[in-house]
Amino acid sequence: MAKQKNRRRKATATLPKNPRPPAGLDADVFIQAGHENTPDNKTGGEGPLGNEIDWTPIVADEATRILRQAGVSTIREDASLKRPERQNQRFRVRIAVFLHFDDPDGGETGASVGFKGSSDEPAATAWKKLYSKFFPFPFMRDNFTPDEAGYYGFKFTVTTDAEFLIEFGDLGSLRQARWMKPRLKWMGELLAHFLSQRISKGNVPLPDFPTDVTDPHSDSEEELHDLHVVPRSLPKRLPDYAAQKLSAVAGVPWEKAAAMPQYNVYKGIMPDSFCVFQNLNGMPLSDVVSAVIYETKFAIDSDGSSDASDPDHQNKTSLRHADGSSLDARTESFGVIPLDRAEAAAEGLQKLAGVPDFGGIGLRLGDIGIAFWKNASAVFVLWRQRTAKRSGRRLDQNGGPSRHRFRSTQRWF
């Protein structure tokens, strides 16, 4: 949504005739395709597989078509609202949505929502809850940019329920664009279902999630690696019983895994094995919606209250028992991850540039994991190494010793 390029959008598709609006309103629903027919140079983002100005009308048209056919009066608008002669227009509707795809100038974002007031938040939250059941990448915080919180389109709608902006994902991200492009019409179907349910009119059904879609890229291993796309199956090194534990039936659908190749820099992690699952459903704990899986070397950590000859031994752990005593590696299973950048700085250390934090993907002190090794598995808790290994006042690629009780593929809750 942020970038500005000089491109023009093709004409909008022919849509069904709009049903009669409810008494006292101009329509049931208002849908705007962001950047379409804009009178200025704010034509949206341009990604490796498509452009925002072309994608938003596809979603908007499909949602409008389905809603109108279901008897829901729907106003379909575009960015021509910016024209001077339209500034005094107002649309009285039950709910209004403004559609966009993000394309930040730096880094990767994800899906998000923007709204101007607390009365709009319940509808925006309900959309996130629905979309997150399918979208396999992170959600940004609400109103995470000034453009979202103060979107110009909000002034044109007067709603009885809500008005909010939708960012469907980051089209500048290859992995997200690859997931979104074949599913643009499905996004419109999902939006139509949401809006119909929200206003209790039209009874638009929940669309089937398209798993067999036309992929804009080949399935060559070289291209998949370049795109950071996760293969459609679990690592072959996993034993059969472990693969069953990491299945869609067990609450971890592999097709929702997002590759995190930036973690390859850590010593001991098997290259390209680090993946993050977001927005999971049916996990063992109801408030847990994410997981991490990766393979790492076999290493034994002897830290804690036990005595050890390990030259890097530490007699204290950051995770403690209720009485304040440290964990004991002889009797308790635990995993260790390195210090985050801020934690290292607090100890007077500097983490190497380009080495990502584990806290950035949500791993926290006390999280639970499971390690698989051959025919054995062990559940463990997570703690952080507080006194880091030094290398010229800098942390090495381990950020301090990063050890686990098994060379393993681990599932974190």
Side-chain angles (χ1 to χ4, degrees):
M1 168 176 162
K3 294 188 178 180
Q4 302 177 10
K5 304 286 178 70
N6 292 318
R7 296 187 68 258
R8 297 185 65 83
R9 154 70 189 155
K10 301 175 184 177
T12 302
T14 302
L15 296 171
K17 183 180 178 180
N18 205 8
R20 184 184 298 274
L25 296 177
D26 298 313
D28 293 299
V29 171
F30 176 99
I31 299 176
Q32 185 208 34
H35 301 288
E36 181 189 28
N37 295 325
T38 183
D40 54 27
N41 67 341
K42 296 182 179 180
T43 53
E46 297 188 356
L49 302 184
N51 305 303
E52 187 174 13
I53 197 172
D54 300 316
W55 285 14
T56 58
I58 295 174
V59 181
D61 286 348
E62 188 67 8
T64 301
R65 180 187 66 79
I66 294 172
L67 287 169
R68 289 183 178 180
Q69 288 179 343
V72 178
S73 179
T74 305
I75 293 174
R76 166 68 169 83
E77 269 295 346
D78 56 29
S80 65
L81 288 173
K82 296 179 181 179
R83 294 187 181 279
E85 65 270 21
R86 304 197 66 183
Q87 294 309 295
N88 293 326
Q89 283 189 272
R90 297 295 182 268
F91 301 91
R92 296 166 299 166
V93 295
R94 301 174 70 179
I95 189 168
V97 288
F98 304 82
L99 312 184
H100 286 271
F101 292 85
D102 204 7
D103 182 19
D105 292 322
E108 183 184 41
T109 59
S112 62
V113 294
F115 48 86
K116 66 179 181 180
S118 59
S119 62
D120 304 305
E121 187 173 6
T125 299
W127 164 256
K128 286 195 304 179
K129 183 177 180 180
L130 175 62
Y131 190 47
S132 67
K133 292 180 180 179
F134 307 97
F135 187 67
F137 306 102
F139 267 75
M140 311 305 290
R141 68 180 185 278
D142 296 352
N143 291 326
F144 88 106
T145 67
D147 286 343
E148 285 192 343
Y151 187 63
Y152 78 90
F154 292 155
K155 77 172 186 177
F156 291 95
T157 54
V158 180
T159 61
T160 59
D161 181 17
E163 55 197 358
F164 63 99
L165 179 145
I166 296 173
E167 296 273 11
F168 286 99
D170 182 354
L171 59 70
S173 162
L174 281 168
R175 61 180 186 150
Q176 292 189 40
R178 192 172 188 264
W179 184 89
M180 291 187 293
K181 184 174 182 177
R183 297 181 171 90
L184 294 175
K185 286 195 173 183
W186 169 83
M187 292 177 186
E189 295 173 14
L190 187 69
L191 180 61
H193 165 74
F194 169 80
L195 295 171
S196 171
Q197 294 295 306
R198 185 72 192 176
I199 65 173
S200 300
K201 185 175 182 179
N203 197 28
V204 176
L206 178 70
D208 292 333
F209 178 69
T211 55
D212 184 16
V213 295
T214 302
D215 202 306
H217 284 79
S218 72
D219 288 328
S220 72
E221 290 298 323
E222 181 178 357
E223 189 161 6
L224 289 176
H225 182 272
D226 290 341
L227 290 171
H228 299 156
V229 175
V230 180
R232 293 185 180 274
S233 61
L234 288 164
K236 295 180 179 179
R237 286 178 290 266
L238 272 177
D240 291 341
Y241 77 94
Q244 294 173 3
K245 293 179 181 291
L246 294 166
S247 66
V249 175
V252 187
W254 188 250
E255 64 269 17
K256 295 189 74 171
M260 305 291 283
Q262 59 267 44
Y263 286 85
N264 287 346
V265 299
Y266 280 97
K267 294 177 180 178
I269 288 181
M270 299 293 289
D272 299 324
S273 68
F274 202 107
C275 297
V276 176
F277 297 83
Q278 299 280 357
N279 311 315
L280 296 175
N281 298 290
M283 294 287 278
L285 302 178
S286 59
D287 58 344
V288 173
V289 295
S290 63
V292 171
I293 180 172
Y294 64 91
E295 293 177 280
T296 186
K297 68 178 182 179
F298 185 96
I300 300 298
D301 198 320
S302 62
D303 291 338
S305 56
S306 60
D307 296 328
S309 59
D310 181 355
D312 296 317
H313 175 75
Q314 300 176 44
N315 60 9
K316 294 182 179 180
T317 57
S318 55
L319 186 65
R320 304 290 182 89
H321 296 114
D323 63 2
S325 61
S326 292
L327 303 179
D328 188 335
R330 296 172 299 183
T331 59
E332 296 163 304
S333 297
F334 57 82
V336 183
I337 59 172
L339 295 168
D340 281 350
R341 197 169 305 278
E343 294 169 325
E347 295 197 11
L349 301 170
Q350 182 180 353
K351 196 166 183 176
L352 288 176
V355 178
D357 290 340
F358 278 69
I361 53 173
L363 292 185
R364 298 289 184 266
L365 184 74
D367 282 354
I368 302 172
I370 181 169
F372 301 110
W373 169 247
K374 292 185 176 180
N375 294 323
S377 62
V379 175
F380 60 89
V381 292
L382 182 68
W383 73 282
R384 290 186 182 279
Q385 198 109 18
R386 305 307 275 183
T387 305
K389 184 188 296 182
R390 287 170 168 78
S391 178
R393 301 297 293 173
R394 289 176 177 266
L395 300 185
D396 62 17
Q397 281 90 338
N398 283 331
S402 177
R403 295 180 179 155
H404 304 276
R405 295 181 64 84
F406 297 90
R407 176 187 180 279
S408 59
T409 298
Q410 298 180 359
R411 176 183 177 186
W412 299 82
F413 298 132

